[in-house]
Amino acid sequence: MSNTFNRPIRVLVAKVGLDGHDRGARIIATSLRDAGMEVIYTGLRQTPEMVVNTALQEDVDAIGISILSGAHMTVFPKIIKLIKEKQMDDVLLTGGGIIPDDDRLALKQQGVGELFPPGTSTQDIVKYITEWVHSHRNF
Amino acid sequence: MYNSKATISSINFKQVARALTIVENDLTESAELLKNLTFNKPTPIIGITGPPGAGKSTLVNELINNLLKEGNKIAVLAIDPTSPFNFGSLLGDRIRMASHFNHPDVFIRSLATRGSLGGLSVKTIEMADVLRAAGFDYVLIETVGVGQSEVEITGLADFTLVVLVPEAGDEIQHIKSGLMEIADAFIVNKADRADADIFFNNLKKITSQNKEEQTQIFKTVASQAIGIDEVTAFIKSSASQKNQRRELLLTQKAYQLIQHKLTRHIDKKKLQHAIAEALNTEGFNLYSFVDGYL
């Protein structure tokens, strides 16, 4: 696909459920901003519906979910299901947190993108989102 | 891929969202889309401005609550600044409106200033018009809270609410600030704080000078939904009046649109390169340099 991309990438960063550890989400949000992206930060205690409605209205290129509560096998499939319902298949769903390899692979098969473990360099995340968006969205 | 006429006539949030993206980024379809906009009702555009931390987003959240009670469809454009250093933005106004994320009649879009000053983004006029054409009953625009010069909103909104907090500097700050002249109404938020009444009275004195009509001042505590009914009533009565400033507003909008179109071919990065080159030649003069672009 030719790369005609000439606008800031828009990303939604959110935390879902009752998981209150938002330091990671904030660091990611700031790193993405520093990389020149437009980051919509909705913070804590979002539901999958809120995440997808926001992503739709904001027309974001990617959704980043930070999850440390262990509920990833509930949260990610729910979001994926809503994304498909609303035909937003061209939006990247990615994230990070404490997610075992087996779960990560299982989620990948359902359509979730890369999930980053603690200790990942923010540069790697910026690179991943940028490359994904540039190769999947051409407007 | 995009049919501008069909999509804008009914409120399909996904299509509205994409139309906004097209317009915001001036994509190929943008000009056609804007020329095909039709307006079936006089949707008022309400500007909400004021210093950072005054409670603009919280107030907007409460206004949405109230306007929804009568079955209105509401669109919000919430503007946050873009960093001049890395051109990125963190858009967080939405957080205060979380209770409306799943409401089918509320559409919220965050936008970044992308380097423009004055509290708006370059494409705010166009984006507000897309929302008006989409059939919303009210369009609320929350400007960046940057201090004393975010007065551009008056060239866009049908009327403007200026949100202030009781301890926001002494009254002199307000006299000098451009904000004071643009208000159709003032909202003294966080009015449960000490000295709020003194502030309120000072504001009243300043704003009644040299004016036949006193600009309305409302006291609110937005975080507790106090005083919101009065503000909503003001919005509704202002919206139903014929806008006396319509010609002036449209003139300002036209002027801005022409200005943007005329300078569209000038790219700041390229300009910087050209300057760098020109600096190497002897006898560089900024004014002769600029002539080359006119």
Side-chain angles (χ1 to χ4, degrees), chain A residues 6-8 10 26 29-30 32-43 46-47 49-51 53-60 86-90 137 139, chain B residues 1 13-15 17-22 24-25 27 82-83 86-95 98-103 106-112 114:
Chain A
N6 192 26
R7 59 177 177 86
R10 283 169 74 84
R26 284 169 191 235
T30 334
L32 297 179
R33 181 205 57 188
D34 291 347
M37 299 185 192
E38 291 182 359
V39 182
I40 293 108
Y41 183 72
T42 54
Q46 303 287 299
T47 63
E49 288 79 12
M50 288 164 94
V51 168
N53 281 336
T54 298
L56 183 142
Q57 292 174 24
E58 300 284 357
D59 199 8
V60 294
K86 293 182 191 281
Q87 297 175 320
M88 292 162 63
D89 304 75
D90 62 338
R137 286 171 74 100
F139 57 88
Chain B
M1 134 194 176
F13 278 16
K14 196 177 170 196
Q15 283 161 336
R18 184 54 51 87
L20 290 174
T21 302
I22 289 171
E24 180 174 31
N25 296 293
L27 304 180
T82 296
S83 158
N86 51 40
F87 304 107
S89 322
L90 196 58
L91 312 172
D93 288 329
R94 231 177 197 280
I95 293 183
S99 55
H100 301 299
F101 284 4
N102 292 340
H103 199 291
V106 180
F107 182 98
I108 305 168
R109 177 72 166 235
S110 318
L111 56 155
R114 297 193 179 170

Coordinates of all heavy atoms in Angstrom, one line a residue, chain A residues 6-8 10 26 29-30 32-43 46-47 49-51 53-60 86-90 137 139, chain B residues 1 13-15 17-22 24-25 27 82-83 86-95 98-103 106-112 114:
Chain A
N6 N -0.3 11.6 5.9 CA 0.3 12.9 6.2 C -0.5 13.7 7.2 O -0.8 14.8 7.1 CB 0.2 13.7 4.8 CG 1.1 14.9 4.9 OD1 2.0 15.0 5.7 ND2 0.8 16.0 4.2
R7 N -0.8 13.0 8.3 CA -1.5 13.6 9.4 C -1.1 13.0 10.7 O -0.5 11.9 10.7 CB -3.0 13.5 9.2 CG -3.5 12.0 9.2 CD -5.0 11.8 9.0 NE -5.3 10.4 8.9 CZ -5.5 9.6 10.0 NH1 -5.3 10.1 11.2 NH2 -5.8 8.4 9.8
P8 N -1.3 13.6 11.8 CA -0.9 13.0 13.1 C -1.7 11.7 13.3 O -2.9 11.7 13.0 CB -1.3 14.0 14.2 CG -1.5 15.3 13.4 CD -1.9 14.9 12.0
R10 N -3.9 9.3 15.5 CA -4.7 9.5 16.7 C -4.9 8.1 17.5 O -5.2 7.1 16.9 CB -6.1 10.0 16.3 CG -6.1 11.4 15.9 CD -7.4 11.8 15.3 NE -8.5 11.9 16.2 CZ -8.8 13.0 17.0 NH1 -8.0 14.1 16.9 NH2 -9.9 13.0 17.8
R26 N -0.4 6.4 31.8 CA 0.0 7.8 31.7 C 1.4 7.9 31.0 O 1.6 8.8 30.1 CB 0.1 8.4 33.0 CG -1.2 8.7 33.6 CD -1.1 9.1 35.1 NE -2.4 9.2 35.7 CZ -2.9 10.3 36.3 NH1 -2.1 11.3 36.4 NH2 -4.1 10.2 36.9
A29 N 0.8 7.3 27.3 CA 0.1 8.4 26.7 C 1.1 9.5 26.4 O 1.1 10.1 25.4 CB -1.0 8.9 27.6
T30 N 1.9 9.8 27.4 CA 2.9 10.9 27.2 C 3.9 10.6 26.2 O 4.3 11.4 25.4 CB 3.6 11.2 28.6 OG1 2.8 10.8 29.6 CG2 3.9 12.7 28.7
L32 N 3.6 8.6 23.6 CA 3.0 8.7 22.3 C 2.8 10.2 21.8 O 3.0 10.5 20.7 CB 1.6 8.0 22.2 CG 1.7 6.5 22.5 CD1 0.3 5.9 22.5 CD2 2.6 5.7 21.5
R33 N 2.4 11.0 22.8 CA 2.3 12.4 22.5 C 3.7 13.0 22.1 O 3.8 13.7 21.1 CB 1.8 13.2 23.7 CG 1.7 14.7 23.4 CD 1.8 15.6 24.6 NE 3.0 15.4 25.3 CZ 3.3 15.9 26.5 NH1 2.4 16.7 27.1 NH2 4.4 15.7 27.1
D34 N 4.7 12.6 22.9 CA 6.1 13.1 22.5 C 6.5 12.6 21.2 O 7.4 13.2 20.5 CB 7.1 12.7 23.6 CG 6.8 13.4 24.9 OD1 6.0 14.4 24.9 OD2 7.4 12.9 26.0
A35 N 5.9 11.5 20.7 CA 6.3 11.0 19.4 C 5.4 11.7 18.3 O 5.5 11.4 17.1 CB 6.1 9.5 19.3
G36 N 4.7 12.7 18.7 CA 3.9 13.5 17.7 C 2.5 13.0 17.5 O 1.8 13.5 16.5
M37 N 2.0 12.1 18.3 CA 0.7 11.6 18.1 C -0.4 12.5 18.8 O 0.0 13.2 19.8 CB 0.6 10.2 18.5 CG 1.5 9.2 17.8 SD 1.2 7.5 18.2 CE 2.6 6.7 17.5
E38 N -1.6 12.3 18.4 CA -2.7 13.0 19.2 C -3.3 11.9 20.0 O -3.9 10.9 19.5 CB -3.7 13.6 18.2 CG -3.1 14.8 17.5 CD -4.0 15.6 16.6 OE1 -5.2 15.2 16.4 OE2 -3.6 16.6 16.0
V39 N -3.2 12.0 21.3 CA -3.6 11.0 22.2 C -4.8 11.4 23.0 O -4.9 12.4 23.7 CB -2.5 10.7 23.3 CG1 -2.9 9.6 24.2 CG2 -1.2 10.4 22.6
I40 N -5.9 10.6 22.9 CA -7.1 10.9 23.6 C -7.0 10.0 24.9 O -6.9 8.8 24.8 CB -8.4 10.5 22.8 CG1 -8.5 11.5 21.7 CG2 -9.6 10.6 23.7 CD1 -8.2 11.0 20.3
Y41 N -6.9 10.6 26.0 CA -6.7 9.9 27.3 C -8.0 9.9 28.1 O -8.5 11.0 28.4 CB -5.6 10.5 28.0 CG -5.3 9.8 29.3 CD1 -4.7 8.5 29.3 CD2 -5.6 10.3 30.6 CE1 -4.4 7.8 30.4 CE2 -5.4 9.6 31.7 CZ -4.7 8.4 31.6 OH -4.5 7.7 32.8
T42 N -8.6 8.8 28.3 CA -9.9 8.8 29.0 C -9.7 8.2 30.4 O -10.6 8.1 31.2 CB -11.0 8.0 28.3 OG1 -10.5 6.7 28.0 CG2 -11.4 8.6 27.0
G43 N -8.5 7.7 30.7 CA -8.2 7.4 32.1 C -8.9 6.1 32.6 O -9.2 5.2 31.8
Q46 N -13.0 2.6 32.6 CA -13.8 2.6 31.4 C -14.4 1.2 31.2 O -13.9 0.2 31.6 CB -13.0 2.9 30.2 CG -12.2 4.2 30.3 CD -13.2 5.4 30.1 OE1 -13.8 5.6 29.1 NE2 -13.3 6.2 31.2
T47 N -15.6 1.1 30.5 CA -16.1 -0.2 30.1 C -15.7 -0.4 28.6 O -15.4 0.6 27.9 CB -17.7 -0.1 30.2 OG1 -18.2 0.8 29.3 CG2 -18.1 0.2 31.6
E49 N -17.7 -0.8 26.2 CA -18.6 0.0 25.4 C -18.1 1.4 25.3 O -18.1 2.1 24.2 CB -20.0 0.0 26.0 CG -20.8 -1.3 25.8 CD -20.3 -2.4 26.8 OE1 -19.6 -2.0 27.8 OE2 -20.7 -3.5 26.7
M50 N -17.6 2.0 26.5 CA -17.1 3.3 26.5 C -15.9 3.5 25.6 O -15.7 4.4 24.8 CB -16.7 3.8 27.9 CG -17.9 4.0 28.8 SD -17.4 4.0 30.5 CE -17.2 5.8 30.8
V51 N -15.0 2.5 25.7 CA -13.8 2.5 24.9 C -14.1 2.6 23.4 O -13.6 3.4 22.6 CB -12.9 1.3 25.2 CG1 -11.8 1.1 24.1 CG2 -12.4 1.4 26.6
N53 N -17.1 3.3 21.8 CA -17.8 4.5 21.5 C -16.9 5.7 21.3 O -17.0 6.5 20.4 CB -18.9 4.8 22.5 CG -20.1 3.9 22.3 OD1 -20.4 3.4 21.2 ND2 -20.9 3.7 23.4
T54 N -16.0 5.8 22.3 CA -15.0 6.9 22.2 C -14.1 6.7 20.9 O -14.0 7.7 20.2 CB -14.1 6.9 23.4 OG1 -14.9 7.2 24.6 CG2 -13.1 8.0 23.3
A55 N -13.7 5.5 20.7 CA -12.8 5.3 19.5 C -13.5 5.7 18.2 O -13.0 6.3 17.3 CB -12.3 3.8 19.5
L56 N -14.8 5.3 18.2 CA -15.6 5.6 17.0 C -15.8 7.1 16.8 O -15.6 7.7 15.7 CB -17.0 4.9 17.1 CG -17.9 5.0 15.9 CD1 -18.6 3.7 15.7 CD2 -18.9 6.1 16.1
Q57 N -16.2 7.8 17.9 CA -16.4 9.3 17.7 C -15.1 10.0 17.4 O -15.1 11.0 16.7 CB -17.1 9.8 19.0 CG -18.5 9.3 19.2 CD -19.1 9.7 20.5 OE1 -18.7 10.7 21.1 NE2 -20.1 8.9 21.0
E58 N -14.1 9.6 18.0 CA -12.8 10.3 17.8 C -12.1 9.8 16.6 O -11.1 10.4 16.2 CB -11.9 10.0 19.1 CG -12.4 10.5 20.4 CD -12.4 12.0 20.5 OE1 -11.8 12.7 19.7 OE2 -12.8 12.5 21.6
D59 N -12.6 8.8 15.9 CA -12.0 8.3 14.7 C -10.5 8.0 14.9 O -9.7 8.5 14.1 CB -12.3 9.2 13.5 CG -12.1 8.5 12.2 OD1 -11.9 7.2 12.2 OD2 -12.1 9.1 11.1
V60 N -10.2 7.3 15.9 CA -8.8 7.0 16.2 C -8.3 5.9 15.3 O -9.0 5.1 14.7 CB -8.6 6.6 17.7 CG1 -8.9 7.7 18.6 CG2 -9.4 5.3 18.0
K86 N -19.2 -2.9 15.1 CA -19.3 -1.5 14.5 C -18.5 -1.4 13.3 O -18.2 -0.2 12.8 CB -18.9 -0.5 15.6 CG -19.9 -0.4 16.7 CD -19.5 0.6 17.7 CE -20.3 0.5 19.0 NZ -21.7 1.1 18.9
Q87 N -18.0 -2.5 12.8 CA -17.2 -2.5 11.5 C -16.0 -1.5 11.6 O -15.8 -0.7 10.7 CB -18.1 -2.2 10.3 CG -19.2 -3.2 10.1 CD -20.1 -2.9 9.0 OE1 -20.5 -1.7 8.9 NE2 -20.5 -3.9 8.3
M88 N -15.3 -1.6 12.7 CA -14.2 -0.8 12.8 C -12.9 -1.6 12.7 O -11.9 -1.4 13.5 CB -14.2 0.0 14.2 CG -15.3 1.0 14.3 SD -15.7 1.4 16.0 CE -14.1 2.2 16.5
D89 N -12.9 -2.5 11.8 CA -11.8 -3.5 11.7 C -10.5 -2.9 11.3 O -9.4 -3.5 11.4 CB -12.2 -4.6 10.7 CG -13.5 -5.3 11.1 OD1 -14.5 -4.7 10.9 OD2 -13.4 -6.4 11.6
D90 N -10.6 -1.6 10.8 CA -9.3 -1.0 10.4 C -8.7 -0.2 11.6 O -7.8 0.6 11.4 CB -9.5 -0.1 9.2 CG -10.5 1.1 9.5 OD1 -11.3 0.9 10.5 OD2 -10.4 2.1 8.8
R137 N -3.8 2.0 7.3 CA -4.8 3.1 7.1 C -4.2 4.1 6.1 O -3.1 4.6 6.3 CB -5.2 3.8 8.4 CG -6.1 2.9 9.2 CD -6.3 3.4 10.6 NE -7.1 4.5 10.8 CZ -8.4 4.5 11.1 NH1 -9.0 3.4 11.4 NH2 -9.1 5.6 11.3
F139 N -5.6 7.1 4.7 CA -6.2 8.4 4.5 C -5.7 9.4 5.6 O -5.0 9.0 6.5 CB -7.7 8.3 4.6 CG -8.2 7.8 5.9 CD1 -8.4 8.6 7.0 CD2 -8.4 6.4 6.1 CE1 -8.8 8.1 8.2 CE2 -8.8 5.9 7.3 CZ -9.0 6.8 8.4
Chain B
M1 N -15.7 6.1 -1.8 CA -15.7 5.6 -0.4 C -16.6 6.4 0.5 O -17.2 5.9 1.4 CB -14.2 5.5 0.1 CG -14.0 6.1 1.4 SD -12.2 6.3 1.7 CE -12.3 7.1 3.3
F13 N -23.0 8.3 13.7 CA -21.9 8.8 14.4 C -20.6 8.4 13.7 O -19.6 9.2 13.7 CB -21.8 8.3 15.9 CG -22.7 9.1 16.8 CD1 -23.6 10.0 16.3 CD2 -22.5 9.0 18.2 CE1 -24.4 10.7 17.2 CE2 -23.3 9.8 19.1 CZ -24.2 10.6 18.6
K14 N -20.6 7.2 13.1 CA -19.3 6.8 12.5 C -19.0 7.7 11.3 O -17.9 8.0 11.0 CB -19.5 5.3 12.1 CG -18.1 4.7 11.8 CD -18.3 3.2 11.5 CE -17.0 2.7 10.9 NZ -17.2 1.4 10.2
Q15 N -20.1 8.0 10.5 CA -19.9 8.8 9.3 C -19.5 10.2 9.7 O -18.7 10.9 9.0 CB -21.1 8.7 8.4 CG -21.1 7.4 7.7 CD -22.4 7.0 7.1 OE1 -23.5 7.5 7.6 NE2 -22.4 6.2 6.1
A17 N -18.0 11.1 12.3 CA -16.6 11.0 12.8 C -15.6 11.0 11.7 O -14.6 11.7 11.7 CB -16.4 9.8 13.7
R18 N -15.9 10.3 10.6 CA -15.0 10.2 9.5 C -15.0 11.5 8.7 O -14.0 12.0 8.3 CB -15.4 9.0 8.6 CG -14.4 8.8 7.4 CD -13.0 8.7 7.8 NE -12.7 7.7 8.8 CZ -12.5 6.4 8.7 NH1 -12.5 5.9 7.4 NH2 -12.2 5.6 9.7
A19 N -16.2 12.1 8.6 CA -16.3 13.4 7.9 C -15.4 14.5 8.6 O -14.7 15.3 8.0 CB -17.8 13.9 7.9
L20 N -15.4 14.4 10.0 CA -14.6 15.3 10.7 C -13.1 15.1 10.4 O -12.3 16.0 10.3 CB -14.9 15.2 12.2 CG -16.3 15.7 12.7 CD1 -16.5 15.4 14.2 CD2 -16.4 17.2 12.5
T21 N -12.8 13.8 10.3 CA -11.3 13.5 10.0 C -11.0 14.1 8.7 O -9.9 14.6 8.5 CB -11.1 12.0 10.1 OG1 -11.5 11.5 11.3 CG2 -9.7 11.6 9.8
I22 N -11.8 13.9 7.7 CA -11.6 14.4 6.3 C -11.4 15.9 6.3 O -10.4 16.4 5.8 CB -12.7 14.0 5.4 CG1 -12.7 12.4 5.2 CG2 -12.6 14.7 4.1 CD1 -13.9 11.9 4.5
E24 N -10.8 17.9 9.0 CA -9.7 18.3 9.9 C -8.3 18.2 9.2 O -7.5 19.0 9.3 CB -9.6 17.5 11.2 CG -8.5 17.9 12.1 CD -8.5 17.2 13.5 OE1 -9.0 16.1 13.5 OE2 -8.1 17.9 14.4
N25 N -8.2 17.1 8.4 CA -6.9 16.9 7.7 C -6.9 17.4 6.3 O -5.9 17.2 5.6 CB -6.6 15.4 7.8 CG -6.4 15.0 9.2 OD1 -5.4 15.4 9.9 ND2 -7.3 14.2 9.7
L27 N -8.3 16.4 3.7 CA -8.1 15.3 2.7 C -8.8 15.7 1.4 O -9.6 16.6 1.4 CB -8.6 14.0 3.3 CG -8.0 13.6 4.7 CD1 -8.6 12.3 5.1 CD2 -6.5 13.5 4.6
T82 N -1.6 21.6 21.2 CA -0.6 20.8 20.6 C 0.8 21.3 21.1 O 1.0 22.5 21.1 CB -0.6 20.9 19.0 OG1 -1.9 20.4 18.6 CG2 0.5 20.1 18.4
S83 N 1.7 20.4 21.4 CA 3.0 20.8 21.8 C 3.7 21.5 20.6 O 3.8 20.9 19.6 CB 3.8 19.6 22.3 OG 5.2 19.9 22.2
N86 N 7.1 18.9 19.9 CA 7.1 17.6 19.2 C 5.8 17.4 18.4 O 5.5 16.4 17.8 CB 7.2 16.5 20.2 CG 6.3 16.6 21.4 OD1 5.1 17.0 21.2 ND2 6.7 16.4 22.6
F87 N 4.9 18.5 18.4 CA 3.7 18.5 17.6 C 2.7 17.4 18.0 O 1.7 17.1 17.3 CB 4.0 18.4 16.1 CG 4.9 19.4 15.6 CD1 6.2 19.2 15.3 CD2 4.4 20.7 15.5 CE1 7.1 20.2 14.8 CE2 5.3 21.8 15.1 CZ 6.6 21.5 14.8
G88 N 2.9 16.8 19.2 CA 2.0 15.8 19.7 C 1.0 16.5 20.6 O 1.2 17.7 21.0
S89 N -0.1 15.8 21.0 CA -1.1 16.4 21.9 C -1.7 15.4 22.8 O -1.8 14.2 22.4 CB -2.3 17.0 21.1 OG -1.9 17.6 19.9
L90 N -2.0 15.8 24.0 CA -2.7 14.9 24.9 C -4.1 15.5 25.1 O -4.2 16.6 25.7 CB -1.9 14.8 26.3 CG -2.3 13.7 27.2 CD1 -2.1 12.3 26.5 CD2 -1.4 13.7 28.4
L91 N -5.1 14.8 24.7 CA -6.4 15.4 24.7 C -7.2 14.7 25.8 O -7.5 13.5 25.8 CB -7.1 15.1 23.3 CG -6.2 15.5 22.1 CD1 -6.9 15.0 20.8 CD2 -6.0 17.0 22.0
G92 N -7.5 15.5 26.9 CA -8.0 14.9 28.1 C -9.3 15.5 28.5 O -9.8 15.2 29.6
D93 N -9.9 16.4 27.8 CA -11.2 17.1 28.2 C -12.3 16.1 28.4 O -13.2 16.3 29.2 CB -11.6 18.1 27.2 CG -10.7 19.4 27.2 OD1 -10.2 19.7 28.3 OD2 -10.5 20.0 26.1
R94 N -12.2 15.0 27.6 CA -13.3 14.0 27.6 C -13.5 13.4 28.9 O -14.6 13.0 29.3 CB -12.8 12.9 26.6 CG -13.8 12.6 25.6 CD -13.2 11.5 24.7 NE -14.0 11.5 23.5 CZ -15.2 10.8 23.4 NH1 -15.6 10.1 24.5 NH2 -15.8 10.7 22.3
I95 N -12.4 13.3 29.7 CA -12.5 12.6 31.0 C -13.6 13.0 31.8 O -14.3 12.3 32.5 CB -11.1 12.7 31.8 CG1 -10.0 12.0 31.0 CG2 -11.3 12.2 33.2 CD1 -8.7 12.1 31.8
A98 N -17.3 11.6 31.0 CA -17.3 10.1 30.9 C -18.8 9.6 31.0 O -19.1 8.6 30.4 CB -16.4 9.5 31.9
S99 N -19.6 10.2 31.8 CA -20.9 9.7 32.0 C -21.8 9.7 30.7 O -22.8 9.1 30.6 CB -21.7 10.4 33.1 OG -21.7 11.8 32.8
H100 N -21.3 10.4 29.7 CA -22.1 10.5 28.4 C -21.5 9.7 27.3 O -22.0 9.8 26.2 CB -22.2 12.0 28.0 CG -22.8 12.9 29.0 ND1 -24.1 12.7 29.4 CD2 -22.4 13.9 29.7 CE1 -24.4 13.6 30.3 NE2 -23.4 14.4 30.5
F101 N -20.4 9.0 27.6 CA -19.7 8.2 26.5 C -20.6 7.3 25.7 O -20.5 7.1 24.5 CB -18.5 7.4 27.0 CG -17.3 8.3 27.3 CD1 -17.4 9.7 27.2 CD2 -16.1 7.7 27.7 CE1 -16.3 10.4 27.5 CE2 -15.0 8.5 28.0 CZ -15.1 9.8 27.9
N102 N -21.6 6.7 26.4 CA -22.4 5.7 25.8 C -23.8 6.2 25.4 O -24.7 5.5 25.0 CB -22.6 4.5 26.7 CG -21.3 3.7 26.9 OD1 -20.4 3.9 26.0 ND2 -21.2 2.9 27.9
H103 N -24.0 7.6 25.6 CA -25.3 8.1 25.3 C -25.5 8.3 23.8 O -24.6 8.8 23.1 CB -25.5 9.5 26.0 CG -26.9 9.9 26.1 ND1 -27.7 10.2 25.0 CD2 -27.8 10.0 27.1 CE1 -28.9 10.5 25.3 NE2 -29.0 10.3 26.6
V106 N -25.2 11.9 22.3 CA -24.1 12.8 22.6 C -22.9 12.4 21.8 O -22.4 11.2 21.9 CB -23.7 12.8 24.1 CG1 -22.6 13.7 24.4 CG2 -24.9 13.2 25.0
F107 N -22.3 13.3 21.1 CA -21.1 13.1 20.3 C -20.0 14.0 20.7 O -20.2 15.2 20.8 CB -21.5 13.3 18.8 CG -20.3 13.0 17.8 CD1 -20.3 11.8 17.2 CD2 -19.3 14.0 17.7 CE1 -19.2 11.6 16.3 CE2 -18.2 13.7 16.8 CZ -18.2 12.5 16.1
I108 N -18.9 13.4 21.2 CA -17.8 14.2 21.7 C -16.6 14.0 20.8 O -16.2 12.9 20.6 CB -17.5 13.9 23.1 CG1 -18.7 14.0 24.0 CG2 -16.4 14.8 23.7 CD1 -18.6 13.4 25.4
R109 N -16.0 15.1 20.4 CA -14.8 14.9 19.6 C -13.7 15.8 20.2 O -13.9 17.0 20.4 CB -15.1 15.3 18.1 CG -13.9 15.3 17.2 CD -13.4 13.9 16.9 NE -12.5 13.9 15.8 CZ -12.7 13.2 14.6 NH1 -13.7 12.4 14.5 NH2 -11.8 13.3 13.7
S110 N -12.5 15.3 20.4 CA -11.4 16.0 20.9 C -10.6 16.5 19.7 O -10.3 15.7 18.8 CB -10.5 15.2 21.8 OG -11.3 14.4 22.7
L111 N -10.1 17.7 19.8 CA -9.2 18.1 18.7 C -8.1 18.9 19.3 O -8.2 19.6 20.3 CB -9.9 18.8 17.5 CG -10.7 20.0 17.6 CD1 -10.7 20.7 16.3 CD2 -12.2 19.6 17.9
A112 N -6.9 18.8 18.5 CA -5.7 19.5 18.9 C -5.6 20.8 18.1 O -6.0 20.9 17.0 CB -4.5 18.6 18.7
R114 N -3.0 22.0 16.9 CA -2.1 21.9 15.8 C -1.4 23.2 15.4 O -1.3 23.6 14.3 CB -2.7 21.3 14.5 CG -3.3 19.9 14.8 CD -3.7 19.1 13.6 NE -4.2 17.8 13.9 CZ -4.7 17.0 13.0 NH1 -4.9 17.4 11.8 NH2 -5.2 15.8 13.4

